[in-house]
């Protein structure tokens, strides 16, 4: 049985720009190394392709240092796509840049026009609902606009809270299958996943909560051995990808792609 929330035939990625050294970050943990970032990005694209998906890799956008984190600029659903409105001023233009690419593959494209803000990293799509975490980048007005735009297509949006100090809702969680979420304890403790089974990331491994289920694989960052063992024990087919450089810019596995099946 196919599940629209994690079975995908296509993905879109964007090559890292050399300007990524100027990318946004909450805490300075050192400059990302471009060559290592590029290698990890190639491994990531290869991991998506290995599941049989067609992956389009867009040119780098030097004017937008964070544009490799392409997920924040759009939301791809089975029946429509929505161009987001990033809350970070330096990222606002990424939405206009992705619009023609998305319009090439979707016949129904809606746009968040504001005044609210919403970034894709705050959106977790499950089989039954779209959870959106309010954060420093996503506000209630942005969530309300998304709710109105997707309602005609039959999608339900639930507004939830991103933990204080956490960049995006999905920094702290990932969908593993139709019923199961991988989450940090700090996020799961809010009760937002009470309708799901939750697997907590291992203590001290919170940074791997941003993983993705992509077709048969769970793709997670390397070097989180306890959580990896736990997922394998639960029967997931885990692939790991280096993420040290993206992590310096608060980026992870979900941020690096838009995943979808054209309708
Ligand atoms: N560096 C990714 C972001 O802050 O949006």
């Amino acid at each position: 049985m196919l599940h629209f929330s994690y079975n995908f035939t296509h993905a879109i990625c964007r090559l890292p720009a050399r300007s990524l050294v100027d990318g946004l970050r909450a805490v300075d943990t050192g400059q990302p190394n471009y060559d290592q970032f590029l290698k990890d990005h190639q491994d990531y694209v290869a991991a998506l392709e290995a599941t049989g998906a067609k992956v389009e890799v867009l040119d780098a956008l030097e004017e937008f240092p964070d544009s490799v984190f392409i997920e924040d600029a759009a939301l791809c659903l089975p029946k429509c796509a929505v161009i987001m409105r990033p809350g970070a001023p330096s990222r606002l233009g990424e939405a206009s840049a992705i619009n023609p690419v998305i319009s090439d593959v979707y016949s129904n494209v809606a746009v968040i026009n504001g005044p609210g803000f919403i970034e894709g990293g705050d959106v977790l799509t499950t089989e039954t609902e779209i959870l959106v975490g309010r954060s420093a980048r996503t506000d209630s007005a942005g969530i309300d606009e998304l709710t109105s735009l997707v309602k005609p297509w039959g999608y339900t949006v639930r507004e939830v809270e991103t933990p204080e100090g956490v960049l995006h809702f999905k920094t702290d969680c990932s969908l593993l299958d139709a019923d199961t979420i991988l989450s940090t304890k700090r996020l799961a403790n809010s009760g937002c996943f009470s309708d799901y089974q939750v697997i907590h990331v291992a203590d001290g491994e919170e940074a791997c909560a941003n993983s993705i289920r992509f077709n048969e694989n769970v793709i997670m960052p390397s070097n989180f051995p306890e959580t990896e063992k736990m997922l394998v024990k639960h029967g997931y087919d885990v692939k790991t990808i280096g993420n040290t450089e993206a992590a310096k810019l608060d980026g992870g596995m979900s941020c690096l792609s838009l995943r979808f099946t054209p309708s």
Side-chain angles (χ1 to χ4, degrees):
M1 180 178 169
L2 289 182
H3 295 87
F4 74 82
S5 58
Y6 61 88
N7 290 120
F8 306 105
T9 59
H10 289 66
I12 301 175
C13 299
R14 188 180 289 288
L15 282 171
R18 287 198 176 270
S19 60
L20 66 80
V21 292
D22 300 319
L24 299 171
R25 67 208 77 180
V27 179
D28 192 357
T29 57
Q31 281 298 35
N33 177 289
Y34 180 79
D35 292 335
Q36 184 61 49
F37 200 126
L38 190 58
K39 188 197 166 299
D40 293 341
H41 194 263
Q42 286 163 348
D43 292 345
Y44 179 84
V45 170
L48 301 184
E49 286 174 337
T51 71
K54 180 172 166 20
V55 183
E56 181 179 5
V57 182
L58 304 175
D59 289 344
L61 286 179
E62 290 299 337
E63 63 273 43
F64 297 112
D66 286 296
S67 55
V68 66
F69 302 123
I70 193 169
E71 176 185 60
D72 291 317
L75 174 64
C76 293
L77 296 167
K79 296 179 201 154
C80 65
V82 183
I83 307 300
M84 301 275 101
R85 189 160 188 262
S90 67
R91 303 198 60 189
L92 203 47
E94 291 177 37
S96 318
I98 200 67
N99 194 334
V101 180
I102 294 295
S103 297
D104 266 357
V105 287
Y106 272 91
S107 39
N108 300 309
V109 180
V111 178
I112 302 282
N113 285 312
F117 295 98
I118 180 163
E119 296 192 356
D122 283 314
V123 183
L124 181 75
T125 304
T126 76
E127 288 295 299
T128 53
E129 60 178 346
I130 300 171
L131 289 96
V132 189
R134 272 189 313 276
S135 72
R137 303 283 185 82
T138 292
D139 58 19
S140 290
I143 300 172
D144 286 348
E145 193 173 350
L146 177 71
T147 304
S148 315
L149 291 174
V150 300
K151 194 171 172 202
W153 303 104
Y155 301 112
T156 306
V157 173
R158 177 155 64 102
E159 182 170 332
V160 289
E161 192 68 56
T162 300
E164 187 70 34
V166 172
L167 175 61
H168 284 134
F169 185 65
K170 275 191 306 204
T171 303
D172 267 27
C173 66
S174 321
L175 186 77
L176 292 174
D177 59 42
D179 309 309
T180 316
I181 310 275
L182 176 68
S183 177
T184 61
K185 286 182 187 156
R186 68 186 164 203
L187 175 57
N189 284 346
S190 72
C192 64
F193 299 131
S194 58
D195 293 339
Y196 299 86
Q197 294 178 51
V198 175
I199 297 178
H200 293 128
V201 298
D203 289 338
E205 296 192 354
E206 286 73 16
C208 73
N210 183 274
S211 295
I212 53 169
R213 174 71 189 268
F214 190 83
N215 295 324
E216 67 270 24
N217 296 143
V218 171
I219 302 178
M220 65 178 292
S222 310
N223 300 322
F224 296 95
E226 296 309 318
T227 307
E228 184 181 346
K229 259 188 267 171
M230 213 184 306
L231 292 176
V232 170
K233 205 168 127 204
H234 277 89
Y236 295 104
D237 189 347
V238 176
K239 302 284 177 243
T240 60
I241 301 289
N243 193 55
T244 52
E245 307 316 295
K248 291 174 185 165
L249 301 175
D250 306 320
M253 297 294 110
S254 79
C255 318
L256 296 170
S257 60
L258 290 165
R259 304 164 292 280
F260 61 101
T261 301
S263 50

